[in-house]
Amino acid sequence: DMTSAVNDLWTPTRTWANGTATNLKLWYDMSDTTYRGLQVSSTAIETIRDKSGNGKHATQSINTTRRPALVTDAYGTGLHCARFDGTSDNMLFDGTFLVNTNYSIFGVVARGSSGGKYWLASSNSSTTNGGISVGWTSDIKHAMTQYNNDLTYTGVPGYVATAKWLEIYSYHHSSTTGKQIYMNGTLLTLNADTSPLVGNPNVSIGGNNTTGNFFNGDISEVLIYTDVPNDTDRQRIEGI
């Protein structure tokens, strides 16, 4: 149960742990419904504003029927979420700032269905190492991929409709040590592949805008850094 851990994610104190503020490149916060966080029409989210100050807002202007819904006080945590329908909902942003960098992606999420391949975020590249995707590849498999270059873990808890809660996933790529996936502060898997991203076009939160694999569930917050924090900083960011 991650309720206590995610109740106050994320404050600037946690997001800017030990001098990493300059490398925080994107921050989406669904609980910030002021001008800094979201633009909402009725319950449909039009724009997720980037609170990092870097202007990397996520929008869905191509098809207004593909906008996720704002859900308030999700799971009794006091946090709000963007609810993606698993059919077509997604929000687009420019992810090219991650090309040839170290990077870390943190997300507070909850699935709404078992299903198969559900990307929390995905680029539509078809070039090896040309775009990143993170999320589920089956009910119990989780992955971070740089197209045709996958790190996969089998054994995440399967979806149970009566036991839904927000969880913290994080994905890390280092040019010296390779890749890692964490869930709720626990290392799931790693490898020594240091291949950098060579492209990252047309990234979608909530699926892949071209191939589908849409996420069914809730996303509360997303942080993206262009570095990999040490364990102390990572735990501080995660609130572990």
Side-chain angles (χ1 to χ4, degrees):
D1 185 347
M2 286 299 298
T3 299
S4 61
V6 301
N7 255 340
D8 55 353
L9 288 184
W10 271 302
T11 66
T13 300
R14 285 186 176 170
T15 60
W16 300 343
N18 293 347
T20 58
T22 57
N23 294 313
L24 176 61
K25 300 302 183 184
L26 181 152
W27 179 9
Y28 296 151
D29 179 4
M30 312 311 168
S31 295
D32 187 347
T33 55
T34 69
Y35 71 94
R36 293 181 302 161
L38 301 176
Q39 285 183 323
V40 181
S41 176
S42 184
T43 60
I45 299 174
E46 298 176 341
T47 302
I48 308 172
R49 293 188 179 275
D50 174 17
K51 291 177 62 175
S52 75
N54 292 301
K56 302 184 188 308
H57 312 308
T59 62
Q60 180 49 273
S61 57
I62 298 172
N63 188 331
T64 59
T65 66
R66 292 187 167 193
R67 293 171 174 168
L70 177 65
V71 178
T72 58
D73 192 20
Y75 312 102
T77 62
L79 299 176
H80 303 340
C81 293
R83 179 158 292 172
F84 293 82
D85 65 5
T87 301
S88 63
D89 289 351
N90 68 101
M91 304 288 283
L92 303 169
F93 72 93
D94 180 2
T96 55
F97 66 96
L98 293 177
V99 172
N100 291 318
T101 70
N102 294 336
Y103 61 81
S104 293
I105 302 170
F106 295 81
V108 178
V109 304
R111 279 193 293 173
S113 176
S114 56
K117 186 176 287 186
Y118 285 162
W119 293 132
L120 297 173
S122 181
S123 167
N124 66 3
S125 173
S126 57
T127 300
T128 297
N129 290 310
I132 191 168
S133 297
V134 297
W136 285 265
T137 57
S138 78
D139 187 40
I140 60 169
K141 289 184 179 181
H142 209 81
M144 65 180 293
T145 79
Q146 293 181 175
Y147 192 81
N148 276 344
N149 184 354
D150 302 350
L151 174 61
T152 302
Y153 174 78
T154 301
V156 297
Y159 171 78
V160 179
T162 57
K164 292 169 58 178
W165 54 77
L166 292 167
E167 296 175 316
I168 304 170
Y169 281 90
S170 66
Y171 314 86
H172 309 273
H173 164 76
S174 166
S175 61
T176 56
T177 59
K179 298 174 177 62
Q180 300 174 325
I181 302 175
Y182 286 82
M183 174 186 172
N184 299 339
T186 298
L187 178 65
L188 297 182
T189 188
L190 76 168
N191 67 21
D193 191 312
T194 59
S195 304
L197 274 174
V198 298
N200 203 35
N202 304 318
V203 179
S204 298
I205 296 289
N208 187 299
N209 196 49
T210 300
T211 62
N213 305 131
F214 293 109
F215 177 61
N216 185 320
D218 299 332
I219 299 176
S220 181
E221 290 195 58
V222 177
L223 298 175
I224 301 181
Y225 293 87
T226 52
D227 71 356
V228 177
N230 60 34
D231 284 345
T232 299
D233 281 355
R234 177 184 52 75
Q235 290 168 359
R236 187 177 182 185
I237 293 167
E238 293 170 333
I240 303 302

